[in-house]
Amino acid sequence: MVTAVRPDDVVARVEVQAGPHRIVSPVTREAVEDLGLAVGVTVTARVTSTDVHLELP
């Protein structure tokens, strides 16, 4: 679940609570708006060795 969205000019900092873990990911502001990411939205976080991908269920 998204717990915080802190937008800046180009990039937003998105925080996700995944069980006991907190994941913080930079996401373009355009993607935040397109996906409708906001506090309380349920997302899937896919973590690779270099990136975090957020997807809507």
Side-chain angles (χ1 to χ4, degrees):
M1 181 180 305
V2 176
T3 57
V5 178
R6 294 184 178 90
D8 203 349
D9 291 336
V10 177
V11 176
R13 176 180 161 165
V14 178
E15 295 183 21
V16 175
Q17 189 69 36
H21 307 287
R22 180 175 147 257
I23 299 169
V24 179
S25 179
V27 180
T28 65
R29 190 172 183 160
E30 181 179 11
V32 168
E33 293 170 0
D34 288 349
L35 292 170
L37 296 179
V39 173
V41 172
T42 300
V43 296
T44 299
R46 186 166 35 102
V47 180
T48 66
S49 61
T50 58
D51 297 305
V52 175
H53 302 270
L54 300 178
E55 302 172 355
L56 297 176

